[in-house]
Amino acid sequence: MIRATKVQGQHRWTQAAADTVVLDFDDRHRRRMAMTGTRGLEFLLDLENAVALRGGDALVLEDGRLIEVVAAPEPLVEIRGADPLHLVRVAWHLGNRHLPTQIMPKGLRIRRDHVIEAMVTGLGARIIEIEAPFDPEGGAYAAAHAHAEDHHAHDHGGHDHSSHDHASHGHGHDHDHGHHKHDDHGHSSDHHHHDEHCGHDHHDHSHAHDHK
């Protein structure tokens, strides 16, 4: 199976992509994983280190072809406050729980979580169920996490962390392509509003399988 061994950053490539993979937040932070593009191209992501992929990045195959990365829409909650100060207060409570949070111009986005949603409404905020790519903030927590991971790898002879979820790494490029996918993490959204950018239907979605 052909391998993808490098990543080119967001839109820093001009060559036409040979295929596209549509990945959710968890699957956009991997080191080694078998993937199938929306056009059927099968390849093995095989990077030296786990990389936090963003929508618009390109995976570089060994033969030079490129695979475009698209951030998949996921069931999320958008939190709206009465005013900016109110929203900051809610954000503080989310940060206090180390909850991955995406900061939007007029609100905050988190993954669906009934316990957190109850806390947020208890603080007087309003929640809106949506589907959109999840691109939470990274910030100092992500940097500290990466440093701790590097230290752990050094102590244990380069132990592979690619199978861990890295829920604190944020990436942002809103390619909001609606498609049908299976959620390995059990999240569901039977009733939701679609994000304003949702308008494309990827029936041929990518299938990602972790190599344990």
Side-chain angles (χ1 to χ4, degrees), residues 8-171:
Q8 287 193 16
Q10 279 187 321
H11 306 299
R12 294 176 184 172
W13 44 279
T14 57
Q15 175 184 336
D19 210 332
T20 299
V21 285
V22 184
L23 305 173
D24 66 14
F25 172 62
D26 289 329
D27 284 339
R28 293 200 311 275
H29 198 285
R30 303 292 185 187
R31 187 191 72 82
R32 193 170 190 272
M33 179 170 62
M35 295 183 176
T36 302
T38 59
R39 303 174 204 169
L41 195 159
E42 297 181 353
F43 65 97
L44 177 66
L45 179 69
D46 192 11
L47 305 176
E48 185 176 349
N49 299 295
V51 173
L53 299 172
R54 306 177 67 181
D57 286 351
L59 306 175
V60 184
L61 299 178
E62 292 173 301
D63 61 7
R65 288 180 295 169
L66 302 181
I67 308 295
E68 181 181 6
V69 176
V70 172
E74 306 181 47
L76 305 177
V77 167
E78 183 154 311
I79 302 167
R80 301 287 180 87
D83 53 48
L85 184 60
H86 184 204
L87 200 60
V88 168
R89 180 168 176 255
V90 173
W92 184 90
H93 283 277
L94 298 177
N96 193 46
R97 287 161 176 76
H98 299 290
L99 194 71
T101 303
Q102 181 176 359
I103 299 174
M104 306 298 295
K106 295 183 179 180
L108 306 168
R109 289 182 181 178
I110 61 172
R111 278 176 155 174
R112 295 299 312 271
D113 185 317
H114 296 302
V115 173
I116 299 299
E117 290 169 37
M119 178 197 77
V120 167
T121 54
L123 293 169
R126 182 166 61 100
I127 62 173
I128 305 169
E129 296 179 12
I130 65 170
E131 273 197 5
F134 187 45
D135 297 312
E137 290 293 309
Y141 179 77
H145 180 75
H147 176 75
E149 183 176 287
D150 291 342
H151 180 70
H152 184 74
H154 176 75
D155 289 345
H156 296 274
H159 176 69
D160 182 9
H161 292 265
S162 60
S163 62
H164 293 244
D165 287 336
H166 294 267
S168 60
H169 294 267
H171 324 289

